[in-house]
Amino acid sequence: MVKIVKFGGSSLADAHQFKKVGDIIKSDPDRRFVVPSAPGKRFKDDIKVTDLLYKAYNAESEQEFECTFDTIKDRYQSIIDELNLTVDLTEEFEVIKKNFQDQISEEYAASRGEYLNGILLANYLEFEFVDPATCIFIDEHGNYDDKKTDPVLSKKLSEVENCVIPGFYGFVVKILQKLELSLVGEVMLLVQSSLNVVKLNFMKTGQMFQVS
């Protein structure tokens, strides 16, 4: 039985939480597909990375932007350093910075949190990272394009043993509609549909597993 697992932001807030998540995933070989969130709060008065991304994108001054952007970079670098990951986000941050300065969209800004965390989690788990923009598509009207997505996503998932796939998708980045269980529920259902044999496991703080 192939399982998809989803972890919330507090479950992936720092290196310590990454280790707990890794233990959960490795405890069951059927947990082959992982949907991550952006790093959440590490303590009560902490700021979630998604909120920092919005703040950087909407910064009213260069100083505010640089300060906030550096804070975001530091959050991810601390995870890399503490887990001794073999990944460098320098080029990713250069692309993100340019797109923020070009004001590409707030949706793009929000999506980068779990995109970057997905890269780190994939490296830590030694899973393949799958960028949803390469295999899940929306049309020019902002609607899910099943005819284009189904064959591409099915082929991609059939080629990987394990993968991490963030829950934002499309060449034109678009935030998915919130489902009751998860913002990324729609992506999980698309993966389920492509595999046809998936049991969904929602690994989110306060749900199936308490990761704290």
Side-chain angles (χ1 to χ4, degrees):
M1 175 70 72
V2 178
K3 299 175 184 176
I4 306 170
V5 292
K6 191 270 181 185
F7 293 91
S10 60
S11 300
L12 290 169
D14 56 23
H16 180 65
Q17 297 298 87
F18 263 62
K19 292 178 182 179
K20 291 185 178 183
V21 164
D23 289 342
I24 290 172
I25 294 171
K26 292 173 184 177
S27 70
D28 184 351
D30 289 338
R31 294 174 181 142
R32 293 174 45 200
F33 300 94
V34 183
V35 181
S37 296
K41 291 185 177 184
R42 297 161 293 181
F43 46 86
K44 182 178 179 181
D45 296 324
D46 198 14
I47 302 175
K48 297 185 294 184
V49 165
T50 299
D51 291 341
L52 289 170
L53 288 163
Y54 277 127
K55 182 178 179 181
Y57 186 82
N58 294 303
E60 296 182 357
S61 68
E62 184 66 21
Q63 181 179 5
E64 181 186 5
F65 172 79
E66 293 291 347
C67 181
T68 306
F69 203 73
D70 284 345
T71 300
I72 295 167
K73 291 166 65 176
D74 288 345
R75 282 290 299 270
Y76 288 102
Q77 192 60 48
S78 68
I79 296 173
I80 292 171
D81 293 343
E82 290 181 44
L83 296 177
N84 296 313
L85 301 182
T86 58
V87 63
D88 185 349
L89 295 179
T90 301
E91 291 186 6
E92 297 287 351
F93 277 118
E94 288 176 356
V95 171
I96 292 169
K97 186 173 184 177
K98 182 181 184 304
N99 286 334
F100 274 34
Q101 292 170 335
D102 291 343
Q103 291 284 285
I104 187 169
S105 76
E106 278 197 330
E107 289 83 4
Y108 171 84
S111 75
R112 296 306 84 186
E114 62 185 62
Y115 171 81
L116 293 171
N117 227 24
I119 292 174
L120 299 194
L121 185 59
N123 188 267
Y124 179 63
L125 296 172
E126 298 184 331
F127 282 14
E128 182 165 345
F129 175 75
V130 175
D131 183 351
T134 66
C135 54
I136 301 175
F137 306 100
I138 56 175
D139 62 24
E140 64 273 17
H141 303 296
N143 300 312
Y144 167 61
D145 190 336
D146 59 335
K147 291 183 179 179
K148 188 174 182 181
T149 296
D150 289 352
V152 177
L153 182 60
S154 296
K155 182 175 185 297
K156 182 63 180 177
L157 295 178
S158 70
E159 294 172 344
V160 298
E161 182 66 24
N162 306 282
C163 77
V164 176
I165 179 168
F168 289 88
Y169 73 96
F171 291 130
V172 179
V173 179
K174 180 181 177 67
I175 292 183
L176 301 175
Q177 296 296 317
K178 284 189 177 181
L179 302 183
E180 286 188 4
L181 287 174
S182 169
L183 178 64
V184 296
E186 192 165 334
V187 161
M188 297 179 75
L189 293 174
L190 293 177
V191 174
Q192 179 190 26
S193 175
S194 296
L195 292 170
N196 294 319
V197 290
V198 172
K199 174 183 178 182
L200 298 185
N201 274 359
F202 291 86
M203 306 283 192
K204 191 170 182 179
T205 303
Q207 295 179 346
M208 255 184 109
F209 284 84
Q210 179 73 27
V211 182
S212 60

